[in-house]
Amino acid sequence: MVHRLRLPNQEVRSALNEALLTVWAPPQVNALANAATFAVYDILAKGDATALRDHFERLFAAIPHDWYRKNPNRIAVNSAG
């Protein structure tokens, strides 16, 4: 039997994800995520569009190219781990 957790709204979903990340991820991952988040806030506060574009280009460049393809088998392969 498979149970599925349903969350009432985006705020609860976001808070749960953040709590799980804090508990399950190694401290280095949390530190990198916090640094990236603060970097975006700083860029937005400065109004530097070029830096914001560069930041997101680096972020998306780190995503494996297989994630872009429309391939239903991809989920099964990636989930199998």
Side-chain angles (χ1 to χ4, degrees), residues 23-47:
V23 173
W24 288 342
Q28 301 89 344
V29 171
N30 289 326
L32 287 173
N34 287 338
T37 300
F38 290 127
V40 171
Y41 285 140
D42 290 341
I43 291 169
L44 290 172
K46 292 176 187 173

Side-chain angles (χ1 to χ4, degrees), residues 1-80:
M1 175 181 256
V2 175
H3 296 281
R4 185 174 181 166
L5 178 63
R6 295 188 187 263
L7 301 172
N9 56 34
Q10 182 63 33
E11 290 82 13
V12 173
R13 204 172 301 127
S14 177
L16 177 62
N17 286 337
E18 197 169 312
L20 292 175
L21 178 65
T22 302
V23 173
W24 288 342
Q28 301 89 344
V29 171
N30 289 326
L32 287 173
N34 287 338
T37 300
F38 290 127
V40 171
Y41 285 140
D42 290 341
I43 291 169
L44 290 172
K46 292 176 187 173
D48 189 350
T50 304
L52 185 63
R53 184 194 69 225
D54 293 344
H55 178 82
F56 282 109
E57 283 179 356
R58 286 190 304 273
L59 175 69
F60 288 115
I63 298 173
H65 75 282
D66 279 352
W67 289 8
Y68 288 109
R69 276 190 282 171
K70 197 172 194 178
N71 181 359
N73 295 328
R74 171 184 58 83
I75 295 171
V77 171
N78 289 342
S79 298

